[in-house]
Each structure stands twice: as C-alpha cells, then as structure tokens.
Amino acid sequence: MKMFKKTALVARLALLTVVLTSLLTAQVAAQTSNGSGQVRALLSQQSVNPASPQTQASQLRADQELESVQLGVLEAELHFGIKGINAIATVQGQSDGSGNTRSDIWLNELVAAWGQGAWQLSAGKKIVEWDVGYGFRPNDVVQQEKRRSLITVSAIGRPLLMAEYFDATLAASLVWVNPATSSSRNASGLLEKGEEQALAGRAYYRVGTVDLHGFARYGVDSGASAGAAVAWVASDALELHASSRYLRHSESLSMAAQTPLLVRGSAWHTELQNNLTQTLVGLSWSNEDQHNLILEAWWDGSAASPQQWRDWSTRNQNLLAAVPKLVGLAPALAGSLMGQNQLLSSSANLHRQNMFARWSWQSGAWQPAVDVLWTPADNGVVSSASLAWQGDQLRVDAGVRWYGGASDSVLASLPVRKLAYLSMTWAF
Amino acid sequence: MKKLLTDRLKITLFVPLLTSATLSTAAMAEDVSALLKAADQFRLASDEMQVETQISTYNRDGSKEKERRYMVFSQKTHQSLVLMQSPAEAGQKVLMLGDDFWMLMPGSQRPLRITPMQKLLGDASIGDIATMSWSQDYAGKLVAEEPCEAPAAVGQTQAQTQTCLRLSLDATRKSAAYQHIDLWLGKAKHEPIKADLYVQSEKLAKRASFVMDKTQVPAVVSEMVLLDQLSSHKETRVRYLSRKPRSIPEQWLNPMFLAKNPSLE
C-alpha cells in the first residue's frame, strides 16, 4: 500500500510540473543569452515524535494514529540573464502521502543592475547574503535565511534598492529593503523576520589574510542594530571567523507566570528586550586528503532563556496532566498545547548557547558528511548524516537527521523525531 | 695489487665524471628564470589572459568520469578569477589574490574565505588551472641534461624522444599549488615536456605531461595530462580551448564582487 502511495505521489508530481517545466525551459533557452537551471525530485519522510506536546495535542483533538509524513517535491529552477537583468524562477509541485497536491511558481530573484565601474546600482527582488558563519549568521540582516537546511536551495530575495561601491580592497553596500512594504506580523504577534522596511549597510575591507566587515541596520519597527565580523586564514589548513551584532531592541514572546491553563486567544504576548548581543566564533580546517571540519559556537541573546524553556516544559506537563481531570475540556487543552509551539519559532535559535560541528570528506564524486548541533543548556542534540554524489549533470543527495538528546530537552520535544530524504538534481 | 687496480679504476671513472660535472655546471649557469619564462610562453602569451579550459577526468579503466569547463582570468601579480561553467558547477567562482583565496557557491550570494588546502580540492585543483606562471612562483636550479620522452603532439601518434633540461624547482610562495616541481623542458625550444608535482608534505601528488600543438616548431601547449599519484590514480586532461589577452577591471578582483555576475564579453 505504501509503495502504491509513493508511485501515485511521484506520478502526480510529474503531471503537475513536467509540462510547466518543459515550457518554461524552452522559453528561456530561446529568449535569453545566458540560461541555466536544474530540475530536482525530492522525497522525504518524517517520523513524528510521540513525546512532543504538539503530537499529543493533535491526538487529543482528532484521536488520530501517529503516522509518518511523506512528502514528494518536484521542482524546476531556472536562472537567466540578459543585458543587466538577472532572474531566478522556481516552479514546484508538492504531494504528501495522503494524496494532497499543490503546485506553485515564484521568482527568487528579478533584478536590474546598472554600472560597470566602481559604482553599481541594483533594483528589484534580489538575494543578498552577508556575514561569515555557517551555522548562524547574526549579521545576515537583509536575507535572514534559514541555516543548516538539508538540501541547498536558492533563497527567495527581498525587494530592494541597492547602491554598491567596489575598488581593489574596499566594498560598501547600502540597501533599502522592502521600500514599498509595510511591516507584517505572524500569528504570535511577532514581526515577520525581514518583512519590514529597513536600511542596511555593509562595509568590507581586506587586509592581507584578514577580511573585515562592518554592518548596520535600521528597521522601521525593530530599530537599530550594528555588527562586525572577521575572517582570517591563519595557516594553509586553518581559517578562523567571528561575528557579533548588538541590537538595541528585539521582540520576543513572553508568558506571565500565573497564566491559567485555559485562556481565550494566545497565552503569549510580545515583549521588547533591550540591549541584546548575538555572537559567533568558529573555524574551518582542511587537509590534503580533502577532509574538512567546521567547529562553531554561538550565543543568541534573542532566543528564549533556560528559565523560559523550563516554564514551557512545566506548562506542557500541567496541560497534559489536566486532560484526565477535565475530559470535557480536552479540545481546549489541546489547543493550549498547540499554542505552546509558538515559542519554537520565535527566534532563529531555540537556545541562547549553541555548539556545532561538521565533518565532510570529498572523495572523487562522493562526499559523506556528518554534523551535530548541541544545546548545552539542556543537552539537546540534532545530528545529521548525508552522502552526496556529483556527476557531470546529475547530483544525488541522501541523508537522515535525528532530533533528540536528553529526554527533557527542547530538541527532544520537537514534533519531528527523524527525517530521511533522497534528492536527485539534474543541472542544465 | 687489487687495491692499486681499484684506485686506478676510481681515477679512470672520476676524471671524466669531474670533467662532465664542470661542463654541466657551466650549462647550469644558464638562467633558470629565463628558462621558466620561456616555458611559460607556451602556456601564457601575456601577463593578463582569458583562458578557457576543459578538464576531463578518466577512471583507471579509461572510462570518462567527468568533464568540467572553466573560464580563467589570469592577471598580473598572482591574481586569478576562475568562473566554473559546467552545469554541475555553474555559478561557482574562485578568486585567488596572491596567497589569499575566496569561493562563491551558486546556492549562496556570500563569498567564503578558503584556505590553500581547500583550494587543492578536486582531481585537477584550482591551482592546476589558475596558477600558470612558473617564472613568478618558483625558483631552483638546472639539474641535468638527459633524454626524455615528449608526449605525441596534436595530430601525431608517437611519442618523441629528445634531449631535455631537467629543473628542480621550489615554490617561492606558500600558496603555490605544488611546493616542489621537477620539470623537464625541451633543450632546443624550452617547451614544457613533463613535470613531477609535489605537495607540501613532500608527497608526489601528480605527474604531468604537456601535449604541444606541433612537434617540430611547438608554439603552444594544447593539453596538460595529469596522473594522480596520491590516491585516485585517475588521469585528468586539461585542454586549453582558447586563449586571448584580457585585462579585467580591478573591482572584479574584490572578493565581495564575486556575488555579482560579470559580463564575459
């Protein structure tokens, strides 16, 4: 039965996207001077975590059996450029194991650029990425992309106007982000990350083996922040990097200590934190045999504190303990449990203290890799193992990621316990 | 008696050897730097070049494993910009400024500072295609004149045996792809014939041979053949598809410019 579901899933995806992809590819090839792209098929399967408050809440509401969640994605990404205009477009079809399908098309980038000399101007939707870290980038203040994704995908750019200056050793950028957009807030009342009008600037200067970066940002709602970063190649094998950002204000979610188990609406309210820092230090090391190691540690002052997570865990337990006593209120208790998950997405990091290690080895066309993220505050662990094969045009990626660690850690309480994926990418 | 015979034998052998060494020393007085400049001319006609290369890697059984294309802008004072052009690597860029290196991956708009070791990754390292000037990066001595076999030139089928100058070279920059090279040049034209390439740990990493465009009057190197000696034992062929003098704007050599898409016209 499962095999039948998978076959049907792939067939639906193919039907949804191949025609669109072919049409778009032919169009691009015919009309642009510089076109390339890729077609990707991705199958993933998530094992749900029965200990997660979200899983228990969904069982209370729907009395459902726990099932693995399958997802199939077929997408085509097209890059094209002509006379100073560059674009990246994605066509995507998705199908889950239950037969639900959807298709979508979006522009990652559509930007016009002027200037061949020292000064250059850009306008449109553009991907702008800054900072020096791998696991966390406090100064990636324009794009604010998700880190540690399983598969490398193109980010979705921001609407912006950008002026840049380059000479041999200096680069400076001034960006007006979301010039025609007003701020938007998510269901928790927090500012959507990067979805506000802002001015951001970066200055870069190269001094021999050292790259120096300075950053500043002023957001209409989030206020001012400033940062600096450095990358230094200390020896043939070793690169060291560090990045730090100071934020005058940052919004976070808070819950009063005496909040009752059942409340109308959300139990969370937004709170303004003042004078925060985010700091990362790290290194990358490589040897002649093509082994590569990345070690990083970072502090994110905007993340929830250990006490907030202890309160979160206590409230989860109290809500679950109340179910047998208040049977008639089970759906409402389940709703409160679901609401607890808002804290999981309130910041780029779950914890303030984070340690990250990644080993990879390039051996011909093959690249095995293993990485671990550890949150020392509660001994939570996310570990991943992957294997990639790269041919002339075909790339195959497969891997598994586990969420766990100490049983009372936040990472062990996430709705997902394990995630496996297989991806095939054809570049053209 | 036996000792006398031995001594005479030693003298008989030693005197010609001494004479030969003295003559060789005179020959070795030839400026190695001038030899390297002459050899460089067969790969680079100018200090500032745009060179399009195709790299094909073959397995031990002779089957083709992969093929990649690169556009290399080789500029003065050890500056090179490499644009990867094959579908598998499209959008990747590597900038080399003396001993400093940056890389841009296509999924990102963020140039990453990389170490010289990371630059060595791959069957044909970035150093193989971007570091082209022996005269700027190496110093050493002329070791000997000896017969050597030159690979068959384009359109030829048979290798040619000729007299070669053997040079022993050490890198003058720590970031040079290979820290030691044993290089054989043709005696008459000083065209590169073959080379043994050693990495920093003094291991022989690759054996290179150079295929010229013509046998009698070679003008340019058409192809460099690399045989891996460390692990894979694969054969990599670096073909020079086109060369032309090209000076690029200074901002192209700013690491942060890698996120831009320079025009190649």
Side-chain angles (χ1 to χ4, degrees):
Chain A
M1 186 64 184
K2 274 194 172 176
M3 182 58 76
F4 173 74
K5 272 187 178 176
K6 273 186 187 169
T7 312
L9 180 150
V10 171
R12 276 194 205 99
L13 285 169
L15 195 64
L16 275 167
T17 57
V18 164
V19 175
L20 272 175
T21 303
S22 308
L23 286 173
L24 206 46
T25 307
Q27 191 82 353
V28 169
Q31 293 187 356
T32 62
S33 60
N34 179 17
S36 63
Q38 60 184 35
V39 178
R40 170 183 287 155
L42 170 70
L43 285 171
S44 67
Q45 181 153 340
Q46 290 183 0
S47 300
V48 294
N49 174 10
S52 150
Q54 188 183 47
T55 309
Q56 296 185 27
S58 63
Q59 281 186 296
L60 282 173
R61 279 195 155 178
D63 198 22
Q64 289 175 340
E65 276 185 37
L66 294 180
E67 263 194 19
S68 292
V69 179
Q70 290 173 4
L71 184 67
V73 178
L74 191 62
E75 68 178 24
E77 185 180 292
L78 303 158
H79 299 233
F80 45 98
I82 186 167
K83 292 182 179 173
I85 296 174
N86 281 296
I88 305 173
T90 304
V91 189
Q92 188 187 77
Q94 274 194 23
S95 178
D96 64 20
S98 311
N100 301 314
T101 58
R102 70 173 207 192
S103 55
D104 210 349
I105 180 166
W106 66 85
L107 278 171
N108 302 74
E109 197 170 82
L110 178 60
V111 61
W114 298 271
Q116 294 294 317
W119 285 97
Q120 310 217 351
L121 298 172
S122 309
K125 190 176 186 182
K126 183 170 171 55
I127 302 165
V128 176
E129 292 177 306
W130 289 344
D131 216 346
V132 296
Y134 293 85
F136 180 47
R137 296 182 197 159
N139 288 302
D140 200 4
V141 291
V142 177
Q143 200 61 40
Q144 299 174 328
E145 65 169 302
K146 286 181 180 169
R147 302 300 312 136
R148 302 186 60 248
S149 56
L150 292 163
I151 299 281
T152 303
V153 292
S154 289
I156 297 177
R158 304 269 183 224
L160 53 79
L161 295 170
M162 180 158 77
E164 293 170 285
Y165 172 83
F166 298 96
D167 66 17
T169 54
L170 177 76
S173 307
L174 182 63
V175 190
W176 183 11
V177 193
N178 299 317
T181 310
S182 52
S183 305
S184 60
R185 293 181 175 273
N186 63 22
S188 307
L190 286 174
L191 266 176
E192 291 275 14
K193 288 188 173 54
E195 296 292 330
E196 64 166 343
Q197 206 173 136
L199 269 180
R202 176 189 66 176
Y204 162 82
Y205 189 61
R206 179 169 67 85
V207 190
T209 57
V210 181
D211 281 356
L212 299 170
H213 304 257
F215 306 92
R217 184 182 194 272
Y218 181 81
V220 169
D221 288 285
S222 61
S225 64
V230 60
W232 173 41
V233 173
S235 74
D236 280 4
L238 183 66
E239 180 265 355
L240 303 170
H241 55 268
S243 176
S244 190
R245 182 183 178 204
Y246 165 78
L247 299 90
R248 181 77 186 86
H249 306 292
S250 177
E251 286 184 353
S252 65
L253 286 182
S254 180
M255 187 184 290
Q258 302 305 320
T259 304
L261 290 179
L262 294 175
V263 290
R264 282 186 183 279
S266 173
W268 300 98
H269 63 271
T270 56
E271 190 177 73
L272 210 57
Q273 292 179 281
N274 295 322
N275 304 319
L276 307 179
T277 55
Q278 297 171 318
T279 299
L280 170 139
V281 291
L283 64 86
S284 71
W285 174 87
S286 310
N287 74 355
E288 279 175 10
D289 298 326
Q290 307 189 12
H291 290 271
N292 189 268
L293 182 68
I294 295 170
L295 294 174
E296 286 186 334
W298 64 89
W299 166 267
D300 182 0
S302 71
S305 68
Q307 184 58 49
Q308 279 179 287
W309 285 117
R310 280 194 288 274
D311 294 344
W312 178 82
S313 182
T314 303
R315 185 174 166 83
N316 285 337
Q317 288 162 16
N318 291 341
L319 282 163
L320 284 169
V323 172
K325 298 171 195 164
L326 305 168
V327 176
L329 295 174
L333 290 166
S336 287
L337 268 173
M338 295 288 262
Q340 287 286 89
N341 288 302
Q342 290 176 33
L343 194 60
L344 296 172
S345 54
S346 65
S347 163
N349 292 293
L350 290 173
H351 276 285
R352 292 178 177 179
Q353 291 176 307
N354 300 271
M355 307 282 282
F356 175 66
R358 182 179 194 274
W359 164 85
S360 62
W361 179 39
Q362 188 71 49
S363 177
W366 296 91
Q367 188 186 53
V370 175
D371 70 53
V372 178
L373 174 71
W374 173 47
T375 54
D378 62 359
N379 275 322
V381 174
V382 188
S383 45
S384 314
S386 64
L387 184 63
W389 179 85
Q390 176 73 65
D392 277 350
Q393 287 187 280
L394 179 67
R395 180 183 171 93
V396 181
D397 291 275
V400 185
R401 178 168 285 180
W402 296 269
Y403 296 85
S407 59
D408 58 348
S409 67
V410 178
L411 287 168
S413 306
L414 294 177
V416 178
R417 173 68 83 200
K418 189 169 73 181
L419 195 157
Y421 66 94
L422 172 66
S423 161
M424 282 181 285
T425 307
W426 179 262
F428 55 89
Chain B
M1 184 64 184
K2 192 178 178 184
K3 185 175 182 305
L4 185 65
L5 279 173
T6 311
D7 286 346
R8 283 197 173 179
L9 187 61
K10 276 183 182 170
I11 291 165
T12 313
L13 287 172
F14 184 68
V15 171
L17 276 174
L18 185 66
T19 313
S20 163
T22 312
L23 287 172
S24 296
T25 307
M28 285 173 198
E30 191 170 357
D31 187 354
V32 168
S33 172
L35 286 174
L36 292 179
K37 277 182 186 161
D40 280 342
Q41 284 293 313
F42 289 91
R43 297 188 301 157
L44 292 170
S46 160
D47 281 347
E48 301 195 323
M49 296 283 290
Q50 174 179 329
V51 183
E52 190 178 8
T53 60
Q54 176 180 293
I55 296 188
S56 309
T57 309
Y58 298 85
N59 294 311
R60 279 182 176 186
D61 63 3
S63 60
K64 188 186 281 185
E65 185 195 75
K66 65 181 176 187
E67 195 165 276
R68 300 282 189 267
R69 275 199 180 208
Y70 302 89
M71 184 65 80
V72 182
F73 300 96
S74 181
Q75 303 292 290
K76 281 178 186 166
T77 58
H78 305 111
Q79 300 182 118
S80 296
L81 173 62
V82 182
L83 309 181
M84 280 72 157
Q85 298 194 307
S86 298
E89 299 176 336
Q92 286 187 37
K93 299 169 191 171
V94 172
L95 178 65
M96 309 171 70
L97 301 179
D99 294 339
D100 303 310
F101 309 92
W102 292 262
M103 178 171 236
L104 184 98
M105 297 300 286
S108 149
Q109 293 294 307
R110 192 176 70 119
L112 292 170
R113 188 141 200 159
I114 60 172
T115 63
M117 285 294 175
Q118 285 170 298
K119 175 185 66 98
L120 276 173
L121 299 185
D123 296 312
S125 74
I126 296 298
D128 288 326
I129 56 170
T131 312
M132 296 185 174
S133 172
W134 286 318
S135 59
Q136 286 183 36
D137 291 353
Y138 294 90
K141 59 185 178 185
L142 181 60
V143 177
E145 276 185 32
E146 59 189 36
C148 70
E149 196 170 77
V154 173
Q156 304 289 316
T157 52
Q158 275 199 318
Q160 304 278 324
T161 300
Q162 60 173 286
T163 305
C164 288
L165 302 175
R166 181 179 174 183
L167 281 71
S168 173
L169 306 173
D170 289 307
T172 52
R173 297 192 304 127
K174 67 171 186 177
S175 64
Y178 304 103
Q179 285 300 301
H180 179 80
I181 297 179
D182 288 332
L183 176 65
W184 286 261
L185 304 179
K187 188 182 175 189
K189 305 277 184 190
H190 303 158
E191 77 278 20
I193 304 292
K194 62 176 185 172
D196 286 349
L197 308 165
Y198 295 81
V199 286
Q200 199 156 30
S201 58
E202 299 180 1
K203 286 183 201 162
L204 175 61
K206 288 168 191 163
R207 288 215 142 104
S209 55
F210 300 88
V211 179
M212 306 303 295
D213 58 337
K214 288 169 269 184
T215 311
Q216 299 304 322
V217 276
V220 290
V221 174
S222 294
E223 191 169 87
M224 175 168 68
V225 182
L226 296 165
L227 284 171
D228 181 275
Q229 304 294 312
L230 281 177
S231 54
S232 70
H233 300 284
K234 287 174 184 166
E235 179 181 295
T236 303
R237 290 183 168 262
V238 181
R239 281 184 64 204
Y240 302 101
L241 302 177
S242 69
R243 297 174 173 92
K244 62 179 181 184
R246 173 86 187 262
S247 177
I248 60 174
E250 68 168 7
Q251 60 264 28
W252 287 29
L253 299 169
N254 185 318
M256 295 304 118
F257 193 83
L258 293 185
K260 311 286 284 184
N261 292 300
S263 162
L264 300 179
E265 299 308 317

